[in-house]
């Protein structure tokens, strides 16, 4: 086989992507593509895992058995999704344990929405409805992303996640149709989660440093602002339908564009939370770190046992 | 019927409280895969609790459903075993508790499948498949940890020593239950004990663990005399229903 | 051996009788028994399967993508291996 120079390899790589041919683990890929993917997928995986905590917080306090089972199943799915995604990063040569250590050291990021506390039961509704709703909007286009294992993981995630948003909206609807206390609880949750949900789509396009290259590589299919707009357009009528008010005095429908115009996002708050200064950043990471440390003797024991049995078998 | 109501309450509460304990692990497991596995078991138990408590409510005929029974009784009215309300401790404690319970629950469900009470038999048949898997899972972990490293052996032996005192209660039978045995609704507990002993001895031996010689045993859960731990479980479990009575969720 | 990560396993699921096992993803497990159980809990929560295979990832041997041209392209020109290559007179059926 003749030696190909780097430019030629890159040209062929981009050609494949342009033709919508998926890239698979052992295929040649630019190092930067690999690194960008590892960063993006592991951030996504960390978000799933850290995202278990704010909701897990309410499992033992769920108001009835049906809600308890649904919440358990949902949080469990998030563990599953984290796992599918870590699997995808492992195909790129990123070891799961090292990836997780980067989360614990603060080197790797995760969705900052999970750094807000869940204060009432209505937050389970708000998270399912808004946070999962926003996540789905991000994720559906990624089912067509150029990297095969990531795209396949996303197909699985999206399929499973379709119940997550519905159960959240169901909780919100029940509360909104309930007693005045319940309705107030729902409104309060919407008030607290609305803006952080909009921040989930990331900085404005003008301030988003990775967008252009990622779009060319098809590991990002829409810009942050496009997705955010789509989310607002879909969600505002849902809030109206159940009689809740979106906490944005500047929100109005533009007849000409057919889109909602919304107020300015508090980007200072966004960057503070990303930097680690959100209400729960420290708690979340401490919990994850503790789970890993507490589990170390278990993982070691399982290894030791497996080795003993393997020796016995071969003896 | 109230005798059967009381009995179903006992096994329903076992599922409810153990499911609650296991669900506390969600998000905190020793590795992602095991987090998912424990949640699966918790989900099975919550499902079993729902079916059993609904049936208990039917038996009682006072209009209480599973939720009313699960969330709106007072501390002394819960009938679960002391074993299942014990705190999770470390992963070894949780798996040992699970194993000691599964090894009792499996032979019980096997026999309840043949109960003269048709509904109970049907519930048992469905739950049995789940419990078989739970026992396989917990047995394997007890063996792995017992025969793993020095540290894991020590931890899981400690767990066994701590929990052993709650195992006699699994097989206690009151007078009302003796009547249910006679009418073929439930099996005699002596049979369950025998099956439990055989299974527990086999697994603990493979796990290189020592059965505690201390025969001092606790009981009371079945009569509503619980450990202090139950109150805290209920404080969480019932929080919403108590703070916001009579609402739909 | 301490602090060693559990090995990686590839998971294959047969979704129903009559179909092949299909690769669905990977997971970590200390031994094969655990790998099968973890696969059950991770990949069949929604009745996706009736049978599971697990293979330790290090035991999978793959063809080299750089050789894909020489491995697979020669087959493209052997059109006579496909039934559509042949003319069958009108009126002939069951062939």
């Amino acid at each position: 086989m003749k030696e190909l120079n780097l430019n030629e390899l890159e040209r062929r790589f981009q050609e494949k992507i342009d033709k919508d041919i998926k890239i698979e683990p052992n295929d040649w890929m630019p190092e930067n593509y690999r690194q960008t993917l590892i960063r993006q997928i592991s951030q996504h995986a960390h978000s799933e895992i850290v995202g278990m905590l704010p909701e897990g917080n309410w499992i033992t306090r769920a108001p009835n058995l049906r809600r308890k089972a649904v919440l358990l199943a949902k949080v469990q799915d998030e563990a599953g999704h984290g796992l599918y995604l870590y699997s995808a990063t492992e195909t790129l040569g990123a070891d799961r344990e090292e990836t997780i250590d980067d989360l614990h050291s603060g080197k790797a990021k995760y969705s900052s929405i999970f750094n807000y506390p869940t204060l009432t039961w209505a937050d389970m509704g708000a998270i399912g409805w808004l946070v999962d709703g926003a996540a789905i909007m991000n994720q559906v286009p990624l089912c067509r992303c150029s990297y095969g294992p990531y795209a396949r993981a996303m197909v699985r995630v999206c399929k499973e996640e379709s119940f997550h948003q519905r159960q959240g909206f169901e909780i919100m609807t029940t509360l909104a149709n309930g007693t005045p206390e319940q309705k107030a609880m729902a409104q309060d949750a919407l008030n607290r989660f609305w803006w952080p949900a909009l921040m989930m789509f990331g900085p404005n396009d003008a301030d988003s440093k990775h967008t252009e290259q990622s779009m060319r590589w098809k590991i990002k299919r829409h810009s942050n602002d496009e997705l955010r707009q789509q989310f607002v357009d879909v969600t505002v009528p849902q809030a109206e339908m159940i009689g809740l008010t979106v906490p944005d005095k500047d929100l109005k429908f533009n007849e000409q564009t057919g889109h909602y115009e919304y107020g300015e996002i508090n980007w200072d708050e966004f960057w503070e939370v990303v930097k680690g200064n959100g209400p729960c950043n420290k708690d979340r990471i401490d919990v994850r770190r503790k789970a890993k440390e507490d589990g170390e003797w278990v993982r070691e024991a399982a290894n030791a046992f497996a080795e003993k049995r393997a020796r016995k078998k071969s003896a | 019927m109230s005798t059967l109501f009381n009995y179903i309450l006992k096994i329903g509460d076992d599922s409810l409280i153990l499911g609650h304990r296991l669900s506390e692990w969600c998000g905190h497991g020793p590795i992602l895969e095991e987090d998912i596995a424990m949640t699966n078991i918790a989900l099975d138990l919550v499902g079993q609790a729902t079916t059993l408590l609904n049936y208990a409510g039917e038996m009682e005929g006072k209009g209480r459903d599973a939720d009313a029974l699960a969330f709106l009784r007072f501390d002394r009215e819960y009938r679960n075993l002391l074993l299942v309300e014990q705190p999770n401790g470390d992963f070894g404690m949780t798996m040992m508790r699970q194993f000691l319970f599964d090894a009792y629950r499996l032979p019980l469900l096997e026999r309840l499948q043949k109960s003269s009470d048709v509904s109970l038999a049907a519930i048992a048949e469905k739950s049995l498949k789940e419990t078989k898997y739970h026992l396989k899972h917990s047995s394997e972990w007890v063996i792995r940890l017992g025969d793993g490293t020095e540290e894991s052996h020590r931890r899981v032996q400690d767990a066994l020593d701590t929990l052993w005192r709650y195992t006699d209660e699994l097989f206690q039978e009151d007078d009302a239950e003796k009547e249910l045995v006679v009418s073929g609704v439930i099996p005699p507990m002596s049979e369950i004990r025998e099956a439990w002993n055989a299974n527990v001895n086999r697994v603990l031996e493979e796990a290189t663990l020592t059965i505690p010689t201390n025969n001092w045993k606790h009981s009371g859960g079945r009569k509503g005399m619980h450990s202090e731990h139950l109150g805290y479980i209920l404080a969480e479990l019932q929080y919403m229903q108590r703070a916001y009575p009579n609402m739909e969720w | 051996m301490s602090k060693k990560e559990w090995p990686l396993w590839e998971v294959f699921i047969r979704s129903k009788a009559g179909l092949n096992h299909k690769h669905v993803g990977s997971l970590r497990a200390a031994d094969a028994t655990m790998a099968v159980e973890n696969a059950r809990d991770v990949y069949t929560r929604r009745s996706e399967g009736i049978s599971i295979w697990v293979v330790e990832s290090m035991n999978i041997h793959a063809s080299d993508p750089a050789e894909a041209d020489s491995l697979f392209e020669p087959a493209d020109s052997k059109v006579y291996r496909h039934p559509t290559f042949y003319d069958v007179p009108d009126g002939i059926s069951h062939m």
Side-chain angles (χ1 to χ4, degrees):
Chain A
M1 209 183 75
K2 65 173 187 294
E3 283 284 313
L4 294 171
N5 66 31
L6 200 59
N7 283 340
E8 177 59 13
L9 284 167
E10 278 182 7
R11 195 192 57 76
R12 289 191 183 186
F13 175 80
Q14 189 61 47
E15 201 175 83
K16 266 171 90 174
I17 289 190
D18 294 342
K19 283 194 209 151
D20 276 328
I21 298 172
K22 297 276 184 225
I23 308 301
E24 293 296 340
N26 294 327
D27 293 346
W28 186 88
M29 60 185 83
E31 193 47 29
N32 207 2
Y33 176 84
R34 181 191 302 275
Q35 293 307 331
T36 306
L37 268 177
I38 291 176
R39 195 187 60 237
Q40 184 177 331
I41 305 173
S42 62
Q43 260 183 28
H44 191 164
H46 300 329
S47 300
E48 297 281 355
I49 300 309
V50 176
M52 295 170 74
L53 302 174
E55 288 173 288
N57 189 23
W58 277 87
I59 291 171
T60 56
R61 289 179 289 171
N64 59 42
L65 291 166
R66 176 173 178 267
R67 292 284 180 218
K68 189 185 287 288
V70 169
L71 188 58
L72 257 174
K74 175 177 192 274
V75 179
Q76 181 194 42
D77 271 349
E78 280 152 16
H81 298 170
L83 208 151
Y84 307 155
L85 291 160
Y86 285 128
S87 294
T89 58
E90 301 216 60
T91 65
L92 291 159
D95 179 80
R96 194 209 293 186
E97 188 150 345
E98 284 169 23
T99 312
I100 290 177
D101 287 341
D102 284 347
L103 168 71
H104 295 175
S105 71
K107 193 175 147 203
K109 302 292 178 212
Y110 55 91
S111 184
S112 49
I113 190 106
F114 302 118
N115 292 316
Y116 292 86
T118 50
L119 303 178
T120 70
W121 170 252
D123 293 8
M124 299 305 99
I127 289 183
W129 173 35
L130 303 174
V131 177
D132 289 276
I136 289 167
M137 238 149 228
N138 257 321
Q139 289 166 358
V140 168
L142 290 176
C143 297
R144 294 181 294 115
C145 95
S146 63
Y147 186 59
Y150 190 24
R152 291 192 287 275
M154 289 321 301
V155 168
R156 217 182 162 87
V157 168
C158 287
K159 214 190 273 173
E160 298 189 354
E161 224 154 63
S162 53
F163 101 77
H164 293 185
Q165 195 190 11
R166 284 186 187 200
Q167 65 86 35
F169 193 63
E170 192 187 84
I171 291 174
M172 286 308 250
T173 310
T174 309
L175 295 178
N177 294 327
T179 64
E181 264 172 301
Q182 286 176 303
K183 189 165 181 183
M185 195 191 275
Q187 183 62 53
D188 171 63
L190 174 58
N191 293 349
R192 284 182 288 112
F193 279 95
W194 174 257
W195 290 105
L198 292 194
M199 294 177 200
M200 282 178 72
F201 296 95
N204 284 333
D205 292 350
D207 304 317
S208 176
K209 53 182 177 179
H210 305 297
T211 298
E212 204 185 320
Q213 177 65 71
S214 294
M215 299 266 252
R216 204 161 44 237
W217 278 335
K218 295 188 183 169
I219 52 183
K220 184 166 179 171
R221 314 275 329 215
H222 300 285
S223 79
N224 296 352
D225 287 333
E226 277 166 25
L227 291 168
R228 187 165 18 239
Q229 184 64 54
Q230 200 185 335
F231 175 75
V232 172
D233 289 344
V234 169
T235 312
V236 171
Q238 292 170 351
E240 281 168 2
M241 206 149 49
I242 57 174
L244 296 179
T245 311
V246 172
D248 178 356
K249 59 180 173 27
D250 299 322
L251 186 77
K252 59 172 186 287
F253 188 69
N254 183 327
E255 295 283 353
Q256 250 131 46
T257 59
H259 294 296
Y260 282 91
E261 288 167 6
Y262 52 92
E264 185 62 26
I265 290 169
N266 183 347
W267 292 112
D268 291 341
E269 177 182 323
F270 172 77
W271 290 114
E272 279 304 314
V273 180
V274 170
K275 264 192 281 177
N277 299 328
C280 301
N281 295 58
K282 185 174 181 312
D283 298 352
R284 301 291 187 236
I285 294 302
D286 285 353
V287 165
R288 289 310 312 162
R289 207 183 284 139
K290 182 171 187 304
K292 191 182 169 204
E293 282 163 10
D294 289 352
E296 182 144 328
W297 69 273
V298 177
R299 297 190 301 273
E300 267 180 36
N303 268 336
F305 177 79
E307 278 172 29
K308 273 190 208 174
R309 289 296 148 120
R311 266 204 304 276
K312 235 184 227 174
K313 222 175 170 182
S314 63
Chain B
M1 276 299 105
S2 81
T3 326
L4 186 53
F5 166 73
N6 282 325
Y7 185 74
I8 295 170
L9 214 50
K10 291 176 182 178
I11 57 177
D13 283 351
D14 285 347
S15 301
L16 178 71
I17 301 300
L18 188 57
H20 182 98
R21 278 297 190 215
L22 272 183
S23 75
E24 292 172 355
W25 271 100
C26 189
H28 308 270
I31 192 164
L32 219 36
E33 284 83 346
E34 187 55 30
D35 209 302
I36 297 173
M38 281 195 283
T39 310
N40 257 354
I41 299 174
L43 273 169
D44 286 342
L45 290 169
V46 172
Q48 291 178 11
T50 308
T51 318
L52 286 165
L53 294 178
N54 269 330
Y55 186 46
E58 259 174 57
M59 288 279 102
E60 189 193 34
K62 290 183 187 161
R64 290 201 284 183
D65 62 3
D67 282 329
L69 287 168
F71 293 88
L72 293 171
R73 277 176 292 154
F74 291 102
D75 309 46
R76 296 290 306 279
E77 298 170 305
Y78 284 80
R79 290 287 178 266
N80 58 279
L81 296 160
L82 293 177
L83 177 70
V84 298
E85 70 197 38
Q86 296 311 305
N88 285 340
D90 64 13
F91 181 73
M93 184 74 81
T94 294
M95 275 303 132
M96 183 55 82
R97 183 185 64 198
Q98 190 67 36
F99 167 65
L100 296 172
F101 176 77
D102 294 339
Y104 143 82
R105 186 76 162 206
L106 182 80
L108 177 64
L109 291 173
E110 275 171 350
R111 284 160 184 79
L112 283 178
Q113 276 189 114
K114 293 166 210 137
S115 168
S116 60
D117 185 273
V118 193
S119 309
L120 184 55
I123 296 173
E125 193 186 344
K126 181 177 177 292
S127 310
L128 180 65
K129 293 181 188 119
E130 298 168 347
T131 302
K132 261 187 194 158
Y133 185 76
H134 302 172
L135 178 62
K136 177 171 153 53
H137 189 81
S138 58
S139 307
E140 285 167 4
W141 268 114
V142 165
I143 293 168
R144 246 182 230 122
L145 298 176
D147 196 15
T149 60
E150 240 171 78
E151 182 184 2
S152 69
H153 180 86
R154 176 180 55 72
R155 283 174 181 265
V156 80
Q157 180 69 54
D158 279 355
L160 178 61
D161 295 347
T162 303
L163 297 172
W164 192 249
R165 68 193 68 159
Y166 302 111
T167 53
D168 198 56
E169 192 185 19
L170 305 175
F171 314 107
Q172 287 175 2
E173 208 171 52
D174 62 21
D175 290 339
E177 280 158 23
K178 291 199 171 90
E179 284 171 34
L180 290 177
V181 173
V182 172
S183 54
V185 178
I186 64 170
M189 286 303 123
S190 55
E191 277 183 24
I192 310 299
R193 188 194 285 268
E194 212 176 298
W196 185 84
N197 273 334
N199 215 334
V200 167
N201 288 339
R202 182 184 59 75
V203 170
L204 294 184
E205 194 190 320
E206 201 180 338
T208 71
L209 294 170
T210 314
I211 292 183
T213 46
N214 176 8
N215 278 320
W216 172 54
K217 297 290 171 66
H218 281 293
S219 67
R222 287 290 190 233
K223 297 190 180 78
M225 285 287 287
H226 291 276
S227 59
E228 289 177 351
H229 304 298
L230 184 73
Y232 292 97
I233 293 179
L234 298 182
E236 282 189 41
L237 181 74
Q238 300 188 343
Y239 164 67
M240 290 296 291
Q241 290 289 345
R242 296 294 184 192
Y244 305 93
N246 304 316
M247 297 183 197
E248 292 295 316
W249 298 98
Chain C
M1 56 131 260
S2 75
K3 308 222 171 172
K4 194 186 70 178
E5 219 173 333
W6 288 352
L8 191 66
W9 302 73
E10 300 300 322
V11 180
F12 301 81
I13 306 268
R14 186 198 294 289
S15 58
K16 59 179 188 185
L19 296 182
N20 294 325
H21 284 78
K22 193 174 148 194
H23 183 246
V24 293
S26 66
L27 48 76
R28 297 245 168 212
D31 54 48
T33 310
M34 194 199 280
V36 171
E37 285 176 29
N38 287 349
R40 177 254 192 196
D41 289 323
V42 173
Y43 290 105
T44 68
R45 294 197 305 285
R46 288 173 172 78
S47 316
E48 291 95 335
I50 56 159
S51 164
I52 295 171
W53 286 352
V54 292
V55 184
E56 222 180 308
S57 308
M58 57 180 268
N59 291 328
I60 297 218
H61 302 274
S63 60
D64 181 354
E67 290 175 11
D69 293 357
S70 57
L71 287 173
F72 308 116
E73 271 178 31
D76 292 350
S77 58
K78 315 286 191 296
V79 284
Y80 42 79
R81 286 191 176 125
H82 300 276
T84 45
F85 179 72
Y86 301 94
D87 291 326
V88 177
D90 290 345
I92 299 285
S93 53
H94 305 295
M95 187 176 278

